[in-house]
Amino acid sequence: MNQIIELDEGQGSLKNVGHVSYLLHLIVAVGAVMPGAQASVALLIVAFVIDLVKKDSAVGSWQESHFSWRIRTVLWAAGLYLVTAPLWLLLLVPGWIAWGVISIWFLYRIVRGWMSLNANQPMPG
């Protein structure tokens, strides 16, 4: 299942887009995990828009799974942050713990995806 795929010229271009997107996601993810290192949410929005715009170019290729992976990661993280936001209002510690867990999960997803992209491997469905 861990197949390595050869890149043609168009796939190389999409892979470069993937690297840029994963880098932007990573900056935000590290900022979310490390106190005092908050990166702008604007970086995440830029990466999300890049993925939405370029995902159609990857349809039918192994890189399509990476665009879906990043888009789903952002949507799930945003939803989880919204659902757990009231914890910050009720009790500080549970909110901090919940957001810490979500941030670590987000960082894990970005690192796992970027490692697979570097190895020319698709992400699981």
Side-chain angles (χ1 to χ4, degrees), residues 11-106:
Q11 292 295 315
S13 174
L14 282 176
K15 188 173 179 181
N16 290 336
V17 169
H19 284 301
V20 169
S21 182
Y22 275 122
L23 176 63
L24 294 173
H25 281 85
L26 185 67
I27 291 168
V28 174
V30 169
V33 172
M34 295 181 65
Q38 291 296 325
S40 173
V41 175
L43 292 177
L44 188 60
I45 293 169
V46 167
F48 187 71
V49 169
I50 288 170
D51 288 337
L52 288 175
V53 168
K54 296 301 265 178
K55 74 175 183 166
D56 290 339
S57 301
V59 170
S61 74
W62 65 273
Q63 292 189 56
E64 179 179 14
S65 65
H66 285 276
F67 285 93
S68 296
W69 178 265
R70 290 188 302 267
I71 290 168
R72 281 194 322 265
T73 299
V74 170
L75 293 175
W76 271 102
L80 291 170
Y81 281 129
L82 286 173
V83 167
T84 58
L87 290 175
W88 284 102
L89 300 174
L90 300 174
L91 301 164
L92 182 64
V93 174
W96 179 79
I97 291 170
W99 281 31
V101 169
I102 296 166
S103 297
I104 290 169
W105 171 83
F106 183 72

